[in-house]
Amino acid sequence: QTERLANSVLERIASSLARTKHTPDELFDRLDRDRNGALSRLELEEVILSLQPDLTLSERESIWHNLDKDGSGSIDANEFRARLNAVNAAPLVALEAKLEALQRTFSNNGYGTYESFAVFDVNKDNYLSIDEWREAMKSVVPQMSQADVDAIFSRFDENKDGYLSLVEFSNFYQDTIDRRPQFQQTADGWPVYTPPPEEAPWETEILNMVRDCLSPGRSGLPCTEVFRRLDVDGSNFMTAYEFYRLITTYRPDLGQEHLDSLFSKVNISRSGSISLSEFVRRFG
């Protein structure tokens, strides 16, 4: 899963470059702040976190090792250029708008991963054939051409067997719908990095404890599914009340001031409710 998301983020970087007419060398020069001809991990993370702010530590590790092929601890211009040039970005750019339209339609209809799969899997064999996928897309996005429908299917059919399994469909749903962020860009198309807020030691201790309790190893569920189950009102956001209820399950002694402070460290957008991306960033 981390390797898949690593490739997804690298594809997004390449797509952003293609869309804004920038080259890998221009991006490298922009990131190489100390002009030593190599990217440190901190320099690289500035761009990948601007494109996918909710990346967990293990996911960032995967992306780093994906680029640092020789294990030198830094990424030179040749490694960087070769990895991004290997991505055929043009079709991905063309596909982005289609995926965004599909994302909006799914979200507006309240479709979740399992509900969607069950509805689309007409013959109930736990796989989506290309025909089932086409029929599903006719009802969800009737304006989408069959070529685009087939391109999306091919993009997420990871083992290329002509079927989407529940796992592949779940991966598609998570990468395309649940965890696809709306990132900020400068006027010339470069992504803007916004660092997460600093946490006091007591806040880190509590939030890490909650993260450990919600981990797949202890809960048996992926982080995105944990979020859905905690989202009691089905709004696709975690309200302050839902967050307080979660925290006080483990620390009932905390007062309102402490709860408000913890909430602000997770709700980095300051929107007043925690998105899935914010939840995964801190608890994934």
Side-chain angles (χ1 to χ4, degrees), residues 1-12:
Q1 182 169 329
T2 55
E3 183 72 12
R4 189 192 73 251
L5 189 58
N7 288 329
S8 176
V9 173
L10 291 172
E11 287 172 353
R12 204 169 305 155

Side-chain angles (χ1 to χ4, degrees), residues 28-47:
F28 186 91
D29 289 340
R30 187 180 180 91
L31 295 174
D32 184 19
R33 299 283 175 81
D34 56 12
R35 297 291 181 254
N36 69 347
L39 297 183
S40 68
R41 180 162 176 166
L42 287 177
E43 287 171 328
L44 178 68
E45 285 193 354
E46 180 173 325
V47 69

Side-chain angles (χ1 to χ4, degrees), residues 25-275:
D25 285 330
E26 288 174 322
L27 177 58
F28 186 91
D29 289 340
R30 187 180 180 91
L31 295 174
D32 184 19
R33 299 283 175 81
D34 56 12
R35 297 291 181 254
N36 69 347
L39 297 183
S40 68
R41 180 162 176 166
L42 287 177
E43 287 171 328
L44 178 68
E45 285 193 354
E46 180 173 325
V47 69
I48 64 173
L49 287 173
S50 66
L51 291 165
Q52 186 78 43
D54 64 359
L55 288 171
T56 64
L57 180 60
S58 63
E59 290 167 343
R60 296 199 299 271
E61 286 274 359
S62 180
I63 294 172
W64 175 257
H65 291 305
N66 194 297
L67 284 169
D68 183 23
K69 293 295 186 184
D70 61 9
S72 65
S74 63
I75 299 167
D76 63 33
N78 289 331
E79 286 178 309
F80 191 76
R81 186 189 308 113
R83 185 63 184 85
L84 291 182
N85 283 337
V87 177
N88 187 8
L92 295 172
V93 172
L95 200 55
E96 281 181 352
K98 310 298 181 183
L99 290 173
E100 288 171 3
L102 189 58
Q103 174 188 15
R104 286 192 299 272
T105 304
F106 273 44
S107 299
N108 291 341
N109 285 283
Y111 291 158
T113 310
Y114 302 108
E115 301 92 337
S116 300
F117 189 87
V119 170
F120 299 161
D121 181 19
V122 177
N123 65 2
K124 306 305 178 188
D125 64 351
N126 294 320
Y127 289 92
L128 296 184
S129 67
I130 184 64
D131 290 334
E132 287 175 321
W133 176 256
R134 288 170 179 166
E135 286 303 311
M137 293 304 99
K138 280 182 185 177
S139 63
V140 175
V141 277
Q143 72 278 13
M144 187 175 288
S145 71
Q146 182 169 310
D148 290 330
V149 168
D150 290 355
I152 293 174
F153 183 92
S154 177
R155 169 69 179 78
F156 293 99
D157 178 17
E158 294 176 14
N159 62 4
K160 305 305 177 188
D161 66 350
Y163 293 89
L164 284 186
S165 67
L166 178 56
V167 171
E168 288 173 326
F169 185 77
S170 180
N171 292 343
F172 151 75
Y173 210 101
Q174 184 180 97
D175 289 351
T176 306
I177 297 180
D178 286 340
R179 294 187 63 181
R180 189 172 182 84
Q182 297 297 317
F183 51 86
Q184 295 178 303
Q185 292 178 297
T186 60
D188 57 350
W190 295 108
V192 176
Y193 172 60
T194 304
E198 291 189 15
E199 296 172 358
W202 69 268
E203 293 172 323
T204 300
E205 179 183 354
I206 292 173
L207 293 174
N208 283 350
M209 176 192 66
V210 174
R211 182 190 63 196
D212 292 343
C213 292
L214 300 179
S215 67
R218 296 184 58 178
S219 70
L221 299 169
C223 194
T224 51
E225 187 60 25
V226 170
F227 179 86
R228 292 188 190 283
R229 298 193 181 198
L230 293 172
D231 176 24
V232 178
D233 63 3
S235 64
N236 294 320
F237 289 92
M238 177 176 281
T239 64
Y241 169 74
E242 289 167 337
F243 177 79
Y244 298 155
R245 191 172 69 165
L246 167 65
I247 298 298
T248 54
T249 298
Y250 302 100
R251 286 294 303 271
D253 57 309
L254 294 178
Q256 191 62 47
E257 182 179 351
H258 293 97
L259 293 172
D260 290 342
S261 182
L262 290 169
F263 183 82
S264 70
K265 296 304 188 294
V266 180
N267 181 216
I268 57 177
S269 66
R270 301 290 183 267
S271 64
S273 56
I274 296 169
S275 67

